[in-house]
Amino acid sequence: MSQPLHLAIIGSGASAIYLLKHLLDHAPLLKSRLRAISIFEQSGITGMGMPYNPLTTDRYNMANISSEELPDLTITFADWLRALPASELRDLDLEGVEISDGAIYSRLALGRYLNAQYETLLTRLRQTGIEIHEHADCRITDVQDQPQQQRVLLTTETGSEHLYDQLVIATGHHWTEKDDPASGHYASPWPITKILPEHGQHHLFTIGTLGASLSAFDVVCSLAHRHGRFVRTAEGLTYEPHPGTEAHKIIMHSAHGLLPHLQFAQDEPLRKIYRHVARATMLDLVDAQGFLSLETYFDKICRPVLTEAFTLDHMPAMAQRMADSDFTLQDFVTTMTDKHDYANAFEGMRLEMKEARTSVLQDKPVHWKEAIDDLIYTLNYHAELLPAEDHLILRAEVMPFLLNVVAAMPLPSGETLLALYDAGKLGMVSGKVTLLDPQPEPGATTITVEDGDQQTQTAYRMFIDCSGQKPLEMEDYPFPSLVRDRTVRKARVPFRDASRAIAAMSDAQKAHLFVDANQRYYHIGGVEIDGACRLIGADGTPSARIHDIAFPHTSGMRPYSYGLQACNDTAAIVVQTWVQEIQKHQAVSSDPQELTKIYEKID
């Protein structure tokens, strides 16, 4: 950023909103170098993002984050809600509701808040003298880097072309697999309207979901409200099906038969990259081969933190086990999973509801859950240092555990699930799901479920994939010129001991192996970025003009980036990179010893 530049942003969702927020925070320095910002949004509605947009979500879909967990914008979510007129609160089903900083509200409410913040940020940026150009309902179909001209060329769906000096890709969720309504198979639940019955109609059959995640709950909740009503009594929440809907039921398929853990109170709701370890200490763990070992990180950093957390949680047996050096990360995952592994997941949730209510309503933090969330969040921003062997362990064993523990379901959502279960409208099947190919039955989706030695087949008239966003592969990267010109390359990590690791890999894992420049790599999904979110080209150097902060593109390199907190921190890293370059009059190095100094600036 040596000359006044024109910045383009593709996408106007949460990541883009937090990018604008950090640009505003640094406007006194940046405004002399940043003359204009152009924002391209493929939706007709700007400043919301897919999960919170009325075109994609439903009034019954709940956010899974409270105001106190949201990174700062111009006003807190709760204060914004409190300031709304009665008519808008009524429209959000919040009229007469006492607004709380710790409560969970609908996705639509959060979407309106984000949109209001977006508009405020644009106004304030204009007031600093930076030009703002918005392009709603405008899809970018290609991006070409032009190194000789030091520009980036954007091409729209209509064929128009636009030149910019810098680009941030913030395109958000993207599913590459197509729905097949004829067979009842849906590659994602979004937009939620596609799976809802017509007004006055009902789905009088059993519906299957792949996954029992928060997205699956969105499906369950939206459909439940179309087929019955929830009634609150002195005994709790109950569900009364509409007459004639006896055949309507939902079965959630979960690999391990687990439901998300319930919401818990926290001492520090906002994650920090360096809460439990200093940057220098973290980098000191890197060995002579240049690797950060997962087990070393667990032993040196996680173990003392979790020992203290279990002590605070009055779990002396776990604190004692953590103090045993033979108790490994995988032992920890297995032990804590077993503590919450029930023969019946719904009855397990019923048992845990009492503990969760005590934690939330009496503000009693569950320290170990908060600690492991923070610790893996730290690791996330250094994941490129892990050898391929550790990435395999992280994804196969640690991540499923973490997403179950930390994707905490709000208490009202847990009550809703139990009410539906008690009414006989919701069930769970454990085991690995495979879709048959070809499909044997017209008008249905047939799946095979493997659970231990047992294998069963089931056909559904509607089967919805709720397993979440996966990293995009190179062939699905939305800007073909960047792939063709080798401005971007697939994300990769080297092995510590390739021969030994490959011998132990499954055939499915071996499909991700490749060789580049005579070195064997494991493809971890998505495209490669450096620690400043700059695209890495085929020659291994970071782009001087293009940052990619779209999680579907980068979650191979950043496997534990999730939610609005990661949107904020990722955007802050990009802006702080520019600040550093202006102050030092040179590009920021990709060397972790230098680049991670930026992370300290945003904590």
Side-chain angles (χ1 to χ4, degrees):
M1 280 196 170
S2 58
Q3 299 295 326
L5 304 178
H6 195 158
L7 167 68
I9 304 172
I10 305 178
S12 70
S15 292
I17 292 169
Y18 279 105
L19 184 72
L20 294 171
K21 188 264 182 186
H22 291 290
L23 287 171
L24 180 63
D25 286 348
H26 294 281
L29 175 65
L30 294 173
K31 66 181 181 180
S32 63
R33 307 292 180 90
L34 182 61
R35 65 178 178 84
I37 302 171
S38 288
I39 304 165
F40 293 86
E41 171 57 58
Q42 68 177 356
S43 169
I45 301 176
T46 56
M48 279 191 179
M50 188 286 295
Y52 316 108
N53 192 316
L55 299 176
T56 53
T57 192
D58 183 42
R59 67 186 300 171
Y60 300 113
N61 298 151
M62 302 301 291
N64 65 330
I65 190 168
S66 66
S67 179
E68 63 187 8
E69 296 173 284
L70 281 169
D72 289 341
L73 287 168
T74 66
I75 184 176
T76 71
F77 182 26
D79 284 344
W80 180 82
L81 285 172
R82 293 183 188 107
L84 287 181
S87 59
E88 291 194 45
L89 288 170
R90 188 181 311 120
D91 193 40
L92 293 170
D93 297 324
L94 291 174
E95 187 177 24
V97 174
E98 183 178 353
I99 303 301
S100 165
D101 291 343
I104 304 292
Y105 300 104
S106 71
R107 289 181 185 267
L108 290 176
L110 185 51
R112 287 201 198 177
Y113 163 73
L114 290 172
N115 177 259
Q117 297 304 288
Y118 171 78
E119 295 295 343
T120 299
L121 289 165
L122 292 187
T123 297
R124 294 186 181 178
L125 282 164
R126 287 188 177 104
Q127 290 169 350
T128 70
I130 297 173
E131 298 174 25
I132 302 294
H133 306 278
E134 291 186 86
H135 302 270
D137 205 12
C138 184
R139 181 168 170 259
I140 300 297
T141 57
D142 202 10
V143 172
Q144 183 182 35
D145 190 26
Q146 299 182 340
Q148 306 232 336
Q149 293 81 15
Q150 298 185 26
R151 307 291 291 277
V152 181
L153 178 68
L154 274 58
T155 305
T156 71
E157 194 167 31
T158 61
S160 64
E161 296 181 338
H162 306 263
L163 279 168
Y164 298 97
D165 303 295
Q166 288 277 332
L167 170 65
V168 176
I169 299 168
T171 46
H173 291 77
H174 181 79
W175 284 272
T176 56
E177 187 180 348
K178 302 300 182 184
D179 297 333
D180 184 7
S183 68
H185 179 252
Y186 293 89
S188 84
W190 315 111
I192 200 85
T193 51
K194 70 186 179 185
I195 65 168
L196 301 179
E198 296 292 332
H199 182 69
Q201 302 296 310
H202 299 104
H203 290 327
L204 301 180
F205 46 83
T206 299
I207 295 169
T209 71
L210 178 60
S213 63
L214 298 175
S215 293
F217 172 74
D218 288 332
V219 170
V220 168
C221 195
S222 288
L223 289 173
H225 278 91
R226 270 76 180 183
H227 293 83
R229 68 187 188 114
F230 292 92
V231 179
R232 173 112 13 219
T233 68
E235 287 74 34
L237 191 69
T238 61
Y239 182 69
E240 296 180 355
H242 291 326
T245 62
E246 291 80 11
H248 175 73
K249 187 174 181 179
I250 299 176
I251 300 295
M252 299 189 295
H253 287 266
S254 167
H256 302 290
L258 300 173
L259 288 168
H261 285 210
L262 291 163
Q263 182 184 3
F264 58 94
Q266 303 178 64
D267 276 330
E268 300 283 353
L270 290 173
R271 303 281 73 85
K272 290 182 67 173
I273 297 176
Y274 293 126
R275 170 161 284 132
H276 295 295
V277 56
R279 181 189 68 87
T281 303
M282 184 78 179
L283 295 177
D284 282 346
L285 299 179
V286 176
D287 62 24
Q289 286 183 266
F291 290 123
L292 171 65
S293 163
L294 187 58
E295 201 59 55
T296 297
Y297 180 66
F298 179 74
D299 191 53
K300 300 297 184 182
I301 307 302
C302 301
R303 190 182 302 280
V305 173
L306 288 169
T307 300
E308 180 181 359
F310 282 122
T311 301
L312 291 171
D313 289 333
H314 305 291
M315 299 173 68
M318 279 305 303
Q320 185 174 357
R321 295 198 74 180
M322 290 301 308
D324 181 357
S325 60
D326 291 332
F327 188 70
T328 66
L329 172 60
Q330 288 158 289
D331 293 333
F332 167 74
V333 168
T334 300
T335 301
M336 298 314 295
T337 298
D338 289 346
K339 284 181 180 290
H340 300 274
D341 188 9
Y342 302 94
N344 182 310
F346 297 99
E347 295 301 339
M349 176 173 277
R350 201 188 310 276
L351 287 172
E352 293 189 358
M353 183 68 77
K354 182 177 179 181
E355 176 187 341
R357 280 203 181 102
T358 299
S359 173
V360 173
L361 300 180
Q362 297 183 22
D363 195 24
K364 292 186 175 181
V366 181
H367 298 91
W368 78 265
K369 291 184 181 181
E370 183 178 343
I372 194 63
D373 193 12
D374 255 326
L375 289 162
I376 304 301
Y377 194 66
T378 299
L379 185 66
N380 177 65
Y381 289 93
H382 304 80
E384 66 273 16
L385 298 173
L386 296 173
E389 294 92 330
D390 285 351
H391 273 275
L392 291 168
I393 295 171
L394 186 70
R395 292 169 190 280
E397 301 180 36
V398 181
M399 288 292 292
F401 162 73
L402 289 167
L403 293 177
N404 174 253
V405 169
V406 179
M409 178 171 282
L411 299 186
S413 300
E415 288 184 302
T416 297
L417 287 183
L418 291 176
L420 289 168
Y421 168 73
D422 290 339
K425 293 296 180 181
L426 184 62
M428 167 85 76
V429 172
S430 63
K432 180 183 177 182
V433 170
T434 305
L435 273 67
L436 292 191
D437 186 19
Q439 284 287 316
E441 183 179 337
T445 296
T446 301
I447 64 171
T448 297
V449 181
E450 295 181 46
D451 191 17
D453 296 331
Q454 294 187 329
Q455 186 177 97
T456 58
Q457 276 191 11
T458 305
Y460 288 103
R461 283 180 57 185
M462 181 178 282
F463 188 75
I464 306 158
D465 190 335
C466 300
S467 59
Q469 179 72 70
K470 299 172 180 64
L472 264 65
E473 297 305 323
M474 288 289 282
E475 57 267 25
D476 298 316
Y477 196 68
F479 310 118
S481 290
L482 293 180
V483 178
R484 181 200 65 209
D485 297 341
R486 307 182 77 194
T487 308
V488 62
R489 70 182 188 182
K490 59 184 178 182
R492 77 279 306 277
V493 283
F495 289 89
R496 182 185 291 279
D497 184 340
S499 298
R500 181 176 178 184
I502 293 169
M505 290 169 63
S506 67
D507 290 341
Q509 290 171 331
K510 288 178 182 177
H512 296 274
L513 295 170
F514 70 101
V515 175
D516 189 8
N518 297 317
Q519 183 166 0
R520 193 176 292 274
Y521 292 98
Y522 186 80
H523 174 45
I524 50 179
V527 301
E528 188 171 2
I529 56 169
D530 72 357
C533 305
R534 296 175 292 200
L535 285 181
I536 300 295
D539 62 357
T541 61
S543 171
R545 283 164 294 282
I546 306 175
H547 295 255
D548 194 331
I549 59 174
F551 294 150
H553 304 167
T554 63
S555 58
M557 299 299 298
R558 293 287 176 260
Y560 201 57
S561 294
Y562 66 94
L564 298 179
Q565 294 186 7
C567 291
N568 173 65
D569 284 349
T570 303
I573 287 168
V574 171
V575 174
Q576 190 59 232
T577 300
W578 294 335
V579 168
Q580 294 291 307
E581 289 176 347
I582 290 171
Q583 291 175 337
K584 296 185 178 181
H585 307 288
Q586 62 183 20
V588 171
S589 168
S590 282
D591 183 339
Q593 291 286 348
E594 290 300 316
L595 196 149
T596 52
K597 291 178 181 177
I598 290 173
Y599 301 169
E600 294 178 312
K601 303 277 187 185
I602 68 171
D603 275 354

